[in-house]
Amino acid sequence: MDTDVLVVGAGPTGMTLANELLLAGVSTVLVDKLAQRGDLSKAGGVQSRTLEALDQRGLLEPLLATGDHPVTTGHFAGVPLPLHSNRHRLPWRSVPQVVIEGFFEQHLAAHGLHARRDHELVGLAQDDDGVTAAFANGATLRSRYLVAADGAHSTVRSLLRAEFPGQPGTVTITSADVRLGGAVPSTSHTWSEDGHWAALFPLGTDPQGRQLRRLVLGGPDRSLPREVPVTEDEIRDGLSTVFGTRVHLLELRYARRITNASRQVERYRHGRVFLAGDAAHVHLPLSAQGMNTGMQDALNLGWKLGAAVHGWAPKNLLDTYHAERHPAGAAVLRNVRAQSLLMDWAGTRDPDVLAAREIFTALAQLPEVQQHLADLTSGMSVRYPMPGTETHPLVGRPAPDLDLGPARLHELLRSGHGVLLDPADTFATVAGAWSDRVDRVGQGADTEPMLIRPDGYVCWAGADDLEPALNRWFGEPR
Ligand SMILES: Cc1cc2nc3c(=O)[nH]c(=O)nc-3n(C[C@H](O)[C@H](O)[C@H](O)COP(=O)(O)OP(=O)(O)OC[C@H]3O[C@@H](n4cnc5c(N)ncnc54)[C@H](O)[C@@H]3O)c2cc1C
């Protein structure tokens, strides 16, 4: 083997995974077809669950120190969710994808992991022991596992002939990074009577301290083929259709067309090859979920591959990647479809849709509804299917960030190990056999007993049957 894991694609998914593999002590090669990292802006927002996960790796503070990354309110179908910023410990932040990629690139490099660029994967073959990858530059590489993090047009997915069912793109809208002048509204979505709409999100400030914004424009006659370049005139026209003379364009930095294609691979695992991020699921960028979902895929898979490489992975651990992340991805696709319908994304002005939207907008003023929607879009409502979910409300969910006295629970996860909270020192003997994989926190933890996986999800809680849970998630004891 040349390496344990080959990660194809150095976008946010691939780099998050590479970092998890680094933490797990697994040899990793990260490749990308591009000669250098792109500077095009895509995702602009990081959700609560992703922020938590970054905190669990000690990366949140340094990431936020890279610039001005304000907390912003979220939305569902264009209806602002004011409670979003109060609901979770770490509310949604504006952090552009380019910043996240640059941050991870530097962090990985500081730990000796440099992406091999100009490495376009063009072929792969797998057997019982590993995967052989071939690159356009003539190189080949043999690894025990391969992860496709090569984006929406994944080559690996095509080479696997993996089914990618769903809805093809039928309409496009325009997404642009801009500086605006005039009376720019604070609300994120504005509709005009004829079905045109504009959405605005803060993107922080440029080095000169000037406010940057993501502007998204849609409407009945705005759907042009993706290949047609977006012009400044088109952006100006879109702004004046929705805002009249109130808002004007000062600078257009970057623009692209995006489609409403919505697809998800049927299987996230193909033998020794795994699909993650946009390679596994594509959908409209509504409520800032695509990059976040990909990073969560990586966090789910990383420690499991580490366990497999180190030889302690319980039978079927690698299969739980599909079992857990496929439903999570499907739920994102469903909420995005509901949003695109309710916000009349295509600008149809269909009276049925407008009537449904009117009722939805009224419902979305209710705190319970806002909380539900905020949980849904922030990744916080994800509950992985696993034994124990039927008997304990915490099992399968992200671990609460408990204050354990000397440290917060999330800080303890920085080791990349599992954590056992054992307040009455009941389980010291049984857990001792797993002490190379699970850190036990004994007396002083003012909580009920709980076992947390390295990715921050509770996999057991209560008082009974700890040993089967340790076996199920952390394999045979030493
Ligand atoms: C306008 C817009 C706004 C968005 N806003 C948000 C948002 O606010 N929040 C959010 O969470 N998401 C958002 N998204 C979605 C987000 O950008 C994607 O979900 C995210 O980029 C997916 O990351 P990834 O690493 O899976 O794939 P990518 O970012 O596409 O990275 C894939 C990498 O693989 C490389 N690659 C491809 N093929 C090969 C090959 N054959 N060999 C080697 N390397 C290869 C590519 O060069 C690339 O670097 C937005 C998307 C768009 C277009």
Side-chain angles (χ1 to χ4, degrees):
M1 296 294 161
D2 299 308
T3 188
D4 289 325
V5 183
L6 170 63
V7 181
V8 184
T13 304
M15 289 207 259
T16 306
L17 180 65
N19 188 53
E20 291 300 298
L21 295 169
L22 205 63
L23 186 66
V26 165
S27 71
T28 303
V29 171
L30 174 64
V31 295
D32 201 287
K33 68 178 180 185
L34 297 179
Q36 58 187 37
R37 196 164 51 77
D39 58 0
L40 296 182
S41 156
K42 291 203 283 184
V46 185
Q47 301 282 14
S48 300
R49 181 62 202 129
T50 310
L51 293 166
E52 273 193 0
L54 291 168
D55 188 31
Q56 287 165 4
R57 297 298 180 247
L59 298 177
L60 183 59
E61 258 182 58
L63 173 67
L64 295 183
T66 57
D68 168 31
H69 305 303
V71 169
T72 46
T73 50
H75 74 91
F76 192 93
V79 179
L81 296 179
L83 279 185
H84 198 257
S85 50
N86 304 330
R87 171 77 169 161
H88 307 121
R89 183 173 73 85
L90 297 168
W92 187 30
R93 292 257 180 184
S94 269
V95 189
Q97 182 167 335
V98 277
V99 173
I100 292 177
E101 290 176 0
F103 172 79
F104 264 111
E105 189 176 63
Q106 278 190 9
H107 175 76
L108 294 173
H111 290 82
L113 206 161
H114 302 264
R116 292 186 195 174
R117 298 208 163 266
D118 271 328
H119 271 63
E120 179 179 4
L121 180 132
V122 290
L124 71 86
Q126 59 173 317
D127 52 48
D128 288 349
D129 302 320
V131 188
T132 304
F135 299 94
N137 61 11
T140 58
L141 196 132
R142 179 106 174 122
S143 58
R144 295 173 75 171
Y145 298 100
L146 182 149
V147 182
D150 53 347
H153 305 285
S154 169
T155 307
V156 176
R157 194 179 63 223
S158 306
L159 291 169
L160 290 170
R161 294 197 168 81
E163 294 289 327
F164 198 35
Q167 172 200 297
T170 52
V171 184
T172 65
I173 54 161
T174 309
S175 171
D177 292 0
V178 293
R179 284 198 305 113
L180 297 177
V184 184
S186 53
T187 50
S188 65
H189 280 74
T190 311
W191 280 266
S192 65
E193 282 302 311
D194 58 1
H196 289 91
W197 56 268
L200 285 167
F201 307 96
L203 280 183
T205 50
D206 67 9
Q208 289 75 40
R210 298 173 301 187
Q211 175 72 57
L212 299 173
R213 289 186 168 85
R214 164 74 42 81
L215 168 69
V216 190
L217 292 167
D221 51 6
R222 300 234 171 268
S223 178
L224 296 177
R226 285 181 74 188
E227 314 71 60
V228 178
V230 181
T231 64
E232 273 197 31
D233 282 348
E234 190 182 340
I235 300 290
R236 288 185 205 284
D237 182 54
L239 283 170
S240 77
T241 309
V242 178
F243 298 111
T245 54
R246 281 177 294 143
V247 179
H248 54 271
L249 182 69
L250 293 177
E251 184 187 349
L252 173 62
R253 298 208 158 187
Y254 156 68
R256 61 187 293 161
R257 296 183 204 283
I258 42 189
T259 81
N260 57 343
S262 170
R263 296 181 180 279
Q264 185 182 27
V265 281
E266 276 185 344
R267 286 189 291 134
Y268 278 31
R269 179 179 185 185
H270 294 250
R272 291 179 168 272
V273 180
F274 298 80
L275 294 149
D278 277 16
H281 39 74
V282 293
H283 53 80
L284 273 175
L286 291 174
S287 294
Q289 298 179 85
M291 175 184 74
N292 287 270
T293 308
M295 291 171 77
Q296 293 299 328
D297 290 345
L299 290 153
N300 185 287
L301 182 57
W303 72 277
K304 295 174 183 174
L305 284 174
V309 168
H310 291 308
W312 58 260
K315 195 170 168 287
N316 300 335
L317 183 69
L318 287 176
D319 288 331
T320 64
Y321 170 61
H322 170 88
E324 294 175 352
R325 290 308 300 168
H326 190 279
V332 170
L333 258 66
R334 284 198 303 277
N335 87 50
V336 167
R337 292 180 83 133
Q339 291 194 62
S340 74
L341 178 79
L342 283 169
M343 66 191 290
D344 193 17
W345 195 77
T348 60
R349 306 307 282 166
D350 179 337
D352 292 357
V353 173
L354 298 184
R357 178 174 181 81
E358 190 182 320
I359 291 176
F360 168 74
T361 306
L363 287 173
Q365 309 311 310
L366 303 174
E368 292 83 357
V369 176
Q370 291 172 346
Q371 286 176 9
H372 174 78
L373 298 174
D375 289 352
L376 198 64
T377 51
S378 61
M380 297 301 285
S381 68
V382 167
R383 190 174 194 192
Y384 291 146
M386 58 175 75
T389 47
E390 62 294 337
T391 50
H392 199 288
L394 281 178
V395 173
R397 294 194 188 282
D401 191 18
L402 302 168
D403 184 355
L404 301 171
R408 289 184 292 111
L409 172 56
H410 287 187
E411 287 167 349
L412 297 178
L413 287 161
R414 290 177 189 175
S415 64
H417 292 173
V419 172
L420 173 66
L421 301 183
D422 181 18
D425 277 337
T426 319
F427 302 107
T429 311
V430 61
W434 279 271
S435 61
D436 57 329
R437 291 157 239 169
V438 177
D439 300 332
R440 194 181 68 87
V441 181
Q443 277 185 357
D446 184 16
T447 170
E448 62 182 315
M450 209 183 290
L451 181 63
I452 297 121
R453 305 192 314 193
D455 60 350
Y457 283 78
V458 179
C459 59
W460 170 90
D464 303 322
D465 294 334
L466 172 63
E467 195 165 339
L470 283 164
N471 263 307
R472 182 177 307 115
W473 296 109
F474 296 96
E476 296 287 317
R478 267 175 304 173

